[in-house]
């Protein structure tokens, strides 16, 4: 029988980061798989540096990218372009990652073409179908469409079982973001710009912020940015560093509330090495991102999560992160509490990472043949 063909779909930057270790593990087994990569081409300027950093070699470009697309636009364009590619290639497996609209549309395209879908980072749930929007519904629907589920944690596996997923189709592998971070740990050389940001801040300590999720837009983001600005102004031992997402709504709020403040550094979106270097040098992280909730425990850094709920309760349960919610009053109190000497944040460096040991890509590649045998004709 010919070698199984695996096609991996990459849309956004977290998909590139988290599928890179899986691709490396597949490529390390040339006698067992033929591995191909399709890029959707969304957010090209954000994603391509990650593709280069992790030496991902794309075989197909779906050219979905256009600025200002709605989730419906992305879904339609992925379906239109991936469907014919699947029809031509007939892969044995389509791998999608996470909770993006591109991953959902990819899973649906696979389903329509009769191609089994493998879901990396399966079984995350916030509990609220509308938040984060549309990611929570995307991941629920991907679980219904997928044939194989690669769960990061035992808790994710239990969630899938409770929803009726066959246990033979689930493997607990850890999250490949941990592998990705380990793979760059020795290469953490910052660019001159970021080295300067860190040097100029000393002896003050860094407070790194990322925020770009739809639920945060408008009044919530405004209040959060004001609370952070006021905190930096009250504490002369704190410098707020904010790599600002290119979304115009984030750019506008960041400039208006934080622009030209001496204790605030507004930066463009950073390359992964620079961003991880910055996190590794920070006292405290404040973020609404999903990936940062896994990176903080891997780097053993304390995190305040700017959300009402999280689909990654493991970081909170382990004691690395605290859920702040959307209210500015709670953010103000949480910042003060975490920043104080001797606070919970000082103990995070001793906590074991709940998201895995850095061998997730290897585990996925190891269990795949057995899983594929369940469906291969
Ligand atoms: N990230 C980065 N540079 C930045 C901000 C974020 O490299 O300036 C990385 C971050 O480490 C994380 C990923 O981008 O792994 C997060 O992507 P995003 O916040 O877009 O998505 P989410 O994690 O919320 O799904």
């Amino acid at each position: 029988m010919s070698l199984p063909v695996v096609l991996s779909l990459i849309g956004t930057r977290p998909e590139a980061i988290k599928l890179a270790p899986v691709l490396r593990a597949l490529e390390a087994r040339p006698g067992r798989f033929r591995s191909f990569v399709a890029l959707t081409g969304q957010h090209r300027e954000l994603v391509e540096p990650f593709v280069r950093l992790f030496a991902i070699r794309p075989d197909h470009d779906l050219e979905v990218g256009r600025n200002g697309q709605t989730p419906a636009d992305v879904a339609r364009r992925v379906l239109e372009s991936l469907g014919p590619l699947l029809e031509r290639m007939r892969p044995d497996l389509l791998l999608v990652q996470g909770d993006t609209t591109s991953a959902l549309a990819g899973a649906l395209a696979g389903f329509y073409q009769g191609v089994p879908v493998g879901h990396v980072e399966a079984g995350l749930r916030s509990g609220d179908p509308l938040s984060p929007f549309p990611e929570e519904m995307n991941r629920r629907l991907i679980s219904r469409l997928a044939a194989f589920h690669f769960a990061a944690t035992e808790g994710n596996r239990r969630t899938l079982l409770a929803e009726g997923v066959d246990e033979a189709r689930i493997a607990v592998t850890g999250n490949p973001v941990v592998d990705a971070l380990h793979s760059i740990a020795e290469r953490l050389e910052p660019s001159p710009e970021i080295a300067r940001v860190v040097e100029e801040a000393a002896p003050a300590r860094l407070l790194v912020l990322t925020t770009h999720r739809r639920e945060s837009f408008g009044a919530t983001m405004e209040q959060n940015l004001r609370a952070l600005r006021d905190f930096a102004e009250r504490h002369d031992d704190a410098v707020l560093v904010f790599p600002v997402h290119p979304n115009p709504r984030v750019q506008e709020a960041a400039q208006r509330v934080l622009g030209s403040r001496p204790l605030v550094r507004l930066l463009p979106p950073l390359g992964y090495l620079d961003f991880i270097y910055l996190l590794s040098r920070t006292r405290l992280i404040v973020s609404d991102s999903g990936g940062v909730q896994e990176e903080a425990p891997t780097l053993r850094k304390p995190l305040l999560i700017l959300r009402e709920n999280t689909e990654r309760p493991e970081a909170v349960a382990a004691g690395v992160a605290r859920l702040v919610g959307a209210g500015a009053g709670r953010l103000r109190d949480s910042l003060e509490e975490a920043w104080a000497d001797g606070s919970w944040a000082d103990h995070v460096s001793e906590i074991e990472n709940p998201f895995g040991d850095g061998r997730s890509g290897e585990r996925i590649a190891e269990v795949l043949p057995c899983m594929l045998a369940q469906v291969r004709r």
Side-chain angles (χ1 to χ4, degrees), residues 106-145:
L108 189 56
F111 173 74
Y112 285 151
Q113 290 294 331
V115 173
V117 172
H119 186 203
V120 176
E121 199 180 83
L124 276 65
R125 299 289 181 268
S126 71
D128 178 351
L130 293 178
S131 170
F133 177 91
E135 289 83 1
E136 175 72 6
M137 187 54 78
N138 288 348
R139 51 174 96 97
R140 291 182 187 203
L141 295 174
I142 295 172
S143 295
R144 301 287 77 79
L145 294 164

Short mmCIF file of all heavy atoms in Angstrom, two decimals, residues 106-145:
data_model
loop_
_atom_site.label_atom_id
_atom_site.label_comp_id
_atom_site.label_asym_id
_atom_site.label_seq_id
_atom_site.Cartn_x
_atom_site.Cartn_y
_atom_site.Cartn_z
N GLY A 106 -11.83 24.42 6.78
CA GLY A 106 -11.00 23.31 6.31
C GLY A 106 -11.64 21.97 6.69
O GLY A 106 -11.76 21.07 5.86
N ALA A 107 -12.08 21.87 7.95
CA ALA A 107 -12.70 20.62 8.41
C ALA A 107 -13.97 20.33 7.61
O ALA A 107 -14.25 19.17 7.25
CB ALA A 107 -13.01 20.71 9.90
N LEU A 108 -14.73 21.38 7.31
CA LEU A 108 -15.98 21.18 6.54
C LEU A 108 -15.65 20.76 5.10
O LEU A 108 -16.30 19.86 4.54
CB LEU A 108 -16.78 22.49 6.57
CG LEU A 108 -18.20 22.43 6.00
CD1 LEU A 108 -19.05 21.36 6.70
CD2 LEU A 108 -18.87 23.80 6.15
N ALA A 109 -14.61 21.38 4.52
CA ALA A 109 -14.19 20.99 3.16
C ALA A 109 -13.77 19.52 3.15
O ALA A 109 -14.11 18.77 2.23
CB ALA A 109 -13.05 21.89 2.68
N GLY A 110 -13.04 19.10 4.18
CA GLY A 110 -12.61 17.70 4.28
C GLY A 110 -13.83 16.78 4.37
O GLY A 110 -13.92 15.77 3.67
N PHE A 111 -14.78 17.18 5.20
CA PHE A 111 -16.00 16.37 5.37
C PHE A 111 -16.74 16.22 4.04
O PHE A 111 -17.12 15.12 3.64
CB PHE A 111 -16.89 17.04 6.43
CG PHE A 111 -18.23 16.41 6.56
CD1 PHE A 111 -18.36 15.18 7.20
CD2 PHE A 111 -19.36 17.02 6.04
CE1 PHE A 111 -19.61 14.57 7.32
CE2 PHE A 111 -20.61 16.42 6.16
CZ PHE A 111 -20.73 15.20 6.79
N TYR A 112 -16.91 17.33 3.32
CA TYR A 112 -17.62 17.26 2.04
C TYR A 112 -16.91 16.36 1.03
O TYR A 112 -17.54 15.70 0.22
CB TYR A 112 -17.76 18.66 1.42
CG TYR A 112 -18.79 19.54 2.10
CD1 TYR A 112 -18.64 20.93 2.11
CD2 TYR A 112 -19.92 19.00 2.71
CE1 TYR A 112 -19.58 21.75 2.73
CE2 TYR A 112 -20.86 19.81 3.33
CZ TYR A 112 -20.69 21.19 3.33
OH TYR A 112 -21.61 22.00 3.94
N GLN A 113 -15.56 16.35 1.10
CA GLN A 113 -14.79 15.56 0.13
C GLN A 113 -14.54 14.13 0.63
O GLN A 113 -13.82 13.38 -0.02
CB GLN A 113 -13.43 16.23 -0.14
CG GLN A 113 -13.53 17.53 -0.92
CD GLN A 113 -14.04 17.30 -2.34
OE1 GLN A 113 -13.84 16.26 -2.92
NE2 GLN A 113 -14.73 18.30 -2.89
N GLY A 114 -15.06 13.80 1.80
CA GLY A 114 -14.83 12.45 2.32
C GLY A 114 -13.40 12.22 2.77
O GLY A 114 -12.93 11.09 2.83
N VAL A 115 -12.67 13.31 3.10
CA VAL A 115 -11.28 13.19 3.58
C VAL A 115 -11.31 13.24 5.11
O VAL A 115 -11.81 14.22 5.67
CB VAL A 115 -10.41 14.35 3.03
CG1 VAL A 115 -9.02 14.32 3.67
CG2 VAL A 115 -10.31 14.28 1.51
N PRO A 116 -10.79 12.22 5.81
CA PRO A 116 -10.79 12.28 7.28
C PRO A 116 -9.99 13.48 7.78
O PRO A 116 -8.94 13.81 7.23
CB PRO A 116 -10.10 10.97 7.70
CG PRO A 116 -10.11 10.11 6.49
CD PRO A 116 -10.17 11.00 5.29
N VAL A 117 -10.51 14.10 8.84
CA VAL A 117 -9.88 15.30 9.39
C VAL A 117 -9.30 14.99 10.76
O VAL A 117 -9.96 14.36 11.59
CB VAL A 117 -10.93 16.44 9.50
CG1 VAL A 117 -10.36 17.64 10.25
CG2 VAL A 117 -11.40 16.86 8.11
N GLY A 118 -8.05 15.41 10.98
CA GLY A 118 -7.44 15.31 12.30
C GLY A 118 -7.39 16.70 12.92
O GLY A 118 -6.99 17.67 12.25
N HIS A 119 -7.80 16.82 14.19
CA HIS A 119 -7.88 18.12 14.84
C HIS A 119 -6.82 18.22 15.94
O HIS A 119 -6.88 17.47 16.93
CB HIS A 119 -9.28 18.32 15.42
CG HIS A 119 -9.51 19.68 16.00
ND1 HIS A 119 -10.47 19.93 16.95
CD2 HIS A 119 -8.90 20.86 15.77
CE1 HIS A 119 -10.45 21.21 17.27
NE2 HIS A 119 -9.49 21.80 16.57
N VAL A 120 -5.86 19.11 15.75
CA VAL A 120 -4.80 19.32 16.74
C VAL A 120 -5.29 20.40 17.71
O VAL A 120 -5.79 21.44 17.27
CB VAL A 120 -3.49 19.78 16.04
CG1 VAL A 120 -2.41 20.11 17.08
CG2 VAL A 120 -3.00 18.70 15.08
N GLU A 121 -5.12 20.16 19.01
CA GLU A 121 -5.64 21.04 20.06
C GLU A 121 -7.17 20.90 20.16
O GLU A 121 -7.92 21.86 20.13
CB GLU A 121 -5.25 22.51 19.83
CG GLU A 121 -5.35 23.37 21.06
CD GLU A 121 -4.96 24.81 20.79
OE1 GLU A 121 -5.80 25.60 20.32
OE2 GLU A 121 -3.80 25.17 21.07
N ALA A 122 -7.60 19.64 20.27
CA ALA A 122 -9.04 19.35 20.34
C ALA A 122 -9.53 19.36 21.79
O ALA A 122 -8.77 19.10 22.71
CB ALA A 122 -9.30 17.97 19.72
N GLY A 123 -10.81 19.67 21.96
CA GLY A 123 -11.45 19.51 23.27
C GLY A 123 -11.39 20.73 24.17
O GLY A 123 -11.75 20.64 25.34
N LEU A 124 -10.96 21.88 23.66
CA LEU A 124 -10.99 23.10 24.48
C LEU A 124 -12.41 23.66 24.46
O LEU A 124 -13.04 23.71 23.40
CB LEU A 124 -10.04 24.16 23.92
CG LEU A 124 -8.58 24.08 24.32
CD1 LEU A 124 -7.94 22.83 23.77
CD2 LEU A 124 -7.83 25.31 23.82
N ARG A 125 -12.91 24.10 25.60
CA ARG A 125 -14.25 24.70 25.68
C ARG A 125 -14.24 25.82 26.71
O ARG A 125 -13.78 25.60 27.84
CB ARG A 125 -15.31 23.67 26.12
CG ARG A 125 -15.48 22.48 25.23
CD ARG A 125 -16.16 22.83 23.90
NE ARG A 125 -16.31 21.64 23.08
CZ ARG A 125 -15.43 21.20 22.17
NH1 ARG A 125 -14.34 21.89 21.92
NH2 ARG A 125 -15.66 20.09 21.49
N SER A 126 -14.82 26.97 26.34
CA SER A 126 -14.96 28.04 27.34
C SER A 126 -16.25 27.87 28.12
O SER A 126 -16.42 28.43 29.19
CB SER A 126 -14.99 29.41 26.64
OG SER A 126 -16.22 29.56 25.94
N GLY A 127 -17.22 27.12 27.55
CA GLY A 127 -18.52 26.94 28.19
C GLY A 127 -19.57 27.91 27.68
O GLY A 127 -20.75 27.71 27.91
N ASP A 128 -19.17 28.96 26.99
CA ASP A 128 -20.11 29.94 26.45
C ASP A 128 -20.00 29.91 24.92
O ASP A 128 -18.98 30.32 24.37
CB ASP A 128 -19.75 31.33 26.98
CG ASP A 128 -20.66 32.41 26.41
OD1 ASP A 128 -21.46 32.12 25.49
OD2 ASP A 128 -20.55 33.57 26.88
N PRO A 129 -21.07 29.43 24.24
CA PRO A 129 -20.97 29.27 22.79
C PRO A 129 -20.65 30.57 22.05
O PRO A 129 -20.16 30.55 20.93
CB PRO A 129 -22.34 28.73 22.36
CG PRO A 129 -23.22 28.83 23.55
CD PRO A 129 -22.37 28.99 24.78
N LEU A 130 -20.92 31.71 22.70
CA LEU A 130 -20.70 32.99 22.03
C LEU A 130 -19.37 33.65 22.40
O LEU A 130 -19.07 34.75 21.91
CB LEU A 130 -21.85 33.96 22.35
CG LEU A 130 -23.21 33.56 21.78
CD1 LEU A 130 -24.27 34.56 22.20
CD2 LEU A 130 -23.14 33.47 20.26
N SER A 131 -18.58 33.03 23.28
CA SER A 131 -17.36 33.69 23.72
C SER A 131 -16.25 32.68 23.99
O SER A 131 -16.46 31.75 24.76
CB SER A 131 -17.66 34.49 24.99
OG SER A 131 -16.46 34.95 25.57
N PRO A 132 -15.06 32.81 23.41
CA PRO A 132 -14.74 33.83 22.42
C PRO A 132 -15.46 33.56 21.08
O PRO A 132 -15.67 32.41 20.72
CB PRO A 132 -13.23 33.71 22.25
CG PRO A 132 -12.89 32.32 22.69
CD PRO A 132 -13.90 31.94 23.72
N PHE A 133 -15.81 34.66 20.43
CA PHE A 133 -16.58 34.59 19.19
C PHE A 133 -15.66 34.86 18.01
O PHE A 133 -14.95 35.86 18.04
CB PHE A 133 -17.70 35.63 19.20
CG PHE A 133 -18.49 35.68 17.92
CD1 PHE A 133 -19.62 34.90 17.76
CD2 PHE A 133 -18.08 36.50 16.87
CE1 PHE A 133 -20.33 34.93 16.57
CE2 PHE A 133 -18.80 36.53 15.68
CZ PHE A 133 -19.92 35.75 15.54
N PRO A 134 -15.67 34.05 16.98
CA PRO A 134 -16.47 32.84 16.78
C PRO A 134 -15.73 31.57 17.19
O PRO A 134 -16.19 30.48 16.92
CB PRO A 134 -16.69 32.83 15.26
CG PRO A 134 -15.40 33.41 14.72
CD PRO A 134 -14.92 34.42 15.74
N GLU A 135 -14.59 31.72 17.91
CA GLU A 135 -13.71 30.56 18.12
C GLU A 135 -14.36 29.42 18.89
O GLU A 135 -14.13 28.25 18.59
CB GLU A 135 -12.42 31.00 18.83
CG GLU A 135 -11.48 31.82 17.96
CD GLU A 135 -11.82 33.29 17.90
OE1 GLU A 135 -12.82 33.71 18.55
OE2 GLU A 135 -11.12 34.04 17.20
N GLU A 136 -15.19 29.76 19.92
CA GLU A 136 -15.77 28.67 20.71
C GLU A 136 -16.68 27.79 19.83
O GLU A 136 -16.62 26.57 19.90
CB GLU A 136 -16.53 29.23 21.91
CG GLU A 136 -17.28 28.20 22.73
CD GLU A 136 -16.39 27.28 23.58
OE1 GLU A 136 -15.16 27.49 23.64
OE2 GLU A 136 -16.94 26.33 24.17
N MET A 137 -17.51 28.44 19.02
CA MET A 137 -18.38 27.64 18.15
C MET A 137 -17.55 26.92 17.09
O MET A 137 -17.82 25.76 16.76
CB MET A 137 -19.45 28.54 17.50
CG MET A 137 -20.49 27.78 16.72
SD MET A 137 -21.29 26.47 17.70
CE MET A 137 -22.45 27.41 18.68
N ASN A 138 -16.50 27.59 16.57
CA ASN A 138 -15.63 26.93 15.59
C ASN A 138 -15.09 25.62 16.15
O ASN A 138 -15.14 24.58 15.51
CB ASN A 138 -14.45 27.83 15.21
CG ASN A 138 -14.85 29.01 14.34
OD1 ASN A 138 -15.96 29.06 13.82
ND2 ASN A 138 -13.94 29.96 14.19
N ARG A 139 -14.59 25.67 17.40
CA ARG A 139 -13.96 24.44 17.92
C ARG A 139 -14.99 23.36 18.23
O ARG A 139 -14.74 22.17 18.02
CB ARG A 139 -13.04 24.72 19.11
CG ARG A 139 -13.57 25.51 20.24
CD ARG A 139 -12.54 25.53 21.37
NE ARG A 139 -11.71 26.72 21.36
CZ ARG A 139 -11.93 27.81 22.10
NH1 ARG A 139 -12.96 27.87 22.91
NH2 ARG A 139 -11.10 28.82 22.04
N ARG A 140 -16.19 23.77 18.66
CA ARG A 140 -17.24 22.76 18.89
C ARG A 140 -17.61 22.07 17.58
O ARG A 140 -17.81 20.85 17.54
CB ARG A 140 -18.49 23.43 19.48
CG ARG A 140 -18.28 23.94 20.89
CD ARG A 140 -19.55 24.55 21.42
NE ARG A 140 -19.31 25.19 22.71
CZ ARG A 140 -20.25 25.42 23.61
NH1 ARG A 140 -21.50 25.06 23.37
NH2 ARG A 140 -19.96 26.01 24.75
N LEU A 141 -17.73 22.87 16.52
CA LEU A 141 -18.13 22.30 15.23
C LEU A 141 -17.02 21.44 14.63
O LEU A 141 -17.30 20.40 14.03
CB LEU A 141 -18.52 23.43 14.26
CG LEU A 141 -19.76 24.23 14.69
CD1 LEU A 141 -19.99 25.41 13.75
CD2 LEU A 141 -21.00 23.34 14.72
N ILE A 142 -15.76 21.85 14.83
CA ILE A 142 -14.66 21.03 14.30
C ILE A 142 -14.69 19.65 14.97
O ILE A 142 -14.46 18.63 14.33
CB ILE A 142 -13.29 21.73 14.51
CG1 ILE A 142 -13.22 23.02 13.68
CG2 ILE A 142 -12.14 20.79 14.10
CD1 ILE A 142 -11.99 23.89 13.98
N SER A 143 -15.01 19.62 16.28
CA SER A 143 -15.08 18.33 16.98
C SER A 143 -16.16 17.42 16.38
O SER A 143 -16.04 16.20 16.41
CB SER A 143 -15.37 18.52 18.47
OG SER A 143 -14.30 19.19 19.09
N ARG A 144 -17.23 18.02 15.86
CA ARG A 144 -18.28 17.20 15.24
C ARG A 144 -17.82 16.67 13.88
O ARG A 144 -18.22 15.60 13.44
CB ARG A 144 -19.57 18.02 15.04
CG ARG A 144 -20.17 18.61 16.31
CD ARG A 144 -20.85 17.59 17.22
NE ARG A 144 -19.93 16.80 17.99
CZ ARG A 144 -19.30 17.21 19.11
NH1 ARG A 144 -19.50 18.42 19.58
NH2 ARG A 144 -18.48 16.42 19.75
N LEU A 145 -16.97 17.45 13.18
CA LEU A 145 -16.56 17.08 11.82
C LEU A 145 -15.35 16.17 11.78
O LEU A 145 -15.17 15.40 10.84
CB LEU A 145 -16.23 18.36 11.02
CG LEU A 145 -17.40 19.30 10.74
CD1 LEU A 145 -16.90 20.68 10.33
CD2 LEU A 145 -18.29 18.71 9.65
#
